[in-house]
Amino acid sequence: DRLAVDAITDNNRDIWVMPSKGGAAVQVTRDEGHDMAPSWSPDSRRLAFYGSRGTGQNAELFVVDADGGIPKQITHSGGLGKWHPQWSPNGRWIAFIKGTRLHRVPASGGAEEQLTTAPTGYYRWSADGSRIYFRRIAAEDGSGGDDLWVFTLADGKERRVTRFSGRPGSLEPYGLAVGKTHLYFTWSSDLGDIWVMDVATNTGGGQD
């Protein structure tokens, strides 16, 4: 088993792979831009990541062999960056966030497809690849945030799966996991206590 990470060396952020039990890390990408957020393909042979590929350029998506090689650019639309790539379970698609909407692109490259209309934060594929669960972020008017939603690829519809309105605390932006029967997420609550203490008084008439 191996881990893929991004790390800064010589003022550049690149993709590295290392054994999960510890050991030497191997540099996978080498570029003057910044390569970030590697995501393993289902067969663990390839990595998807986003990279700027040059100072001042917007991030595009790339795929590279996990053992190294020349990365293949799979998005070419420019404009808004493409963030947080995740492979579909069958390895055919790579989902990503563009602006505040969820998109996907064929893993081999091709036309991008917008999936969600709701402002979308962190997300996860279902195990069978038929759905994508996501944290909806607040819209420009402040509405609609702090709930989990699901996008179903078969009908292209989005629906809310939680209703946290009125509950103290907030849904954390990361930490979403999808099991066979349950969703797992992190929730933040600020807790505090009120204390009472006696204040000593000076009865000796002097001053400290």
Side-chain angles (χ1 to χ4, degrees):
D1 293 339
R2 296 182 292 176
L3 300 176
V5 299
D6 56 68
I8 295 177
T9 56
D10 299 326
N11 295 320
N12 289 329
R13 188 182 293 272
D14 288 299
I15 307 301
W16 296 70
V17 170
M18 64 179 293
S20 60
K21 295 182 179 180
V26 177
Q27 187 171 354
V28 177
T29 66
R30 301 174 184 271
D31 191 82
E32 295 180 356
H34 291 290
D35 298 334
M36 302 179 66
S39 173
W40 287 101
S41 63
D43 61 9
S44 299
R45 295 180 179 178
R46 295 173 291 169
L47 292 164
F49 65 92
Y50 62 85
S52 59
R53 283 296 181 269
T55 303
Q57 295 184 11
N58 292 307
E60 299 284 357
L61 294 188
F62 297 81
V63 170
V64 66
D65 288 343
D67 294 325
I70 299 175
K72 177 183 178 180
Q73 185 173 339
I74 62 169
T75 62
H76 301 268
S77 58
L80 296 173
K82 292 83 182 171
W83 315 110
H84 306 301
Q86 290 186 22
W87 296 76
S88 64
N90 63 11
R92 293 178 53 195
W93 300 92
I94 296 176
F96 60 95
I97 300 294
K98 180 179 179 181
T100 58
R101 303 298 188 269
L102 184 65
H103 291 64
R104 70 174 180 175
V105 65
S108 58
E112 302 171 18
E113 177 185 357
Q114 181 176 327
L115 301 179
T116 62
T117 58
T120 305
Y122 197 64
Y123 67 95
R124 289 289 190 186
W125 288 87
S126 65
D128 62 2
S130 66
R131 302 174 305 282
I132 301 177
Y133 294 90
F134 63 94
R135 173 183 178 267
R136 179 170 177 174
I137 61 178
E140 288 76 8
D141 61 2
S143 64
D146 265 356
D147 268 309
L148 296 176
W149 288 59
V150 63
F151 175 85
T152 304
L153 279 87
D155 59 15
K157 293 183 178 180
E158 308 158 44
R159 64 179 179 85
R160 186 197 304 259
V161 295
T162 65
R163 292 190 180 274
F164 293 131
S165 178
R167 176 175 177 172
S170 60
L171 185 64
E172 289 292 288
Y174 303 105
L176 177 63
V178 180
K180 292 183 179 180
T181 59
H182 291 78
L183 298 177
Y184 303 88
F185 55 91
T186 54
W187 185 267
S188 176
S189 296
D190 293 327
L191 303 176
D193 296 307
I194 298 176
W195 294 73
V196 176
M197 64 178 293
D198 294 328
V199 179
T201 58
N202 186 345
T203 59
Q207 292 184 352
D208 293 334

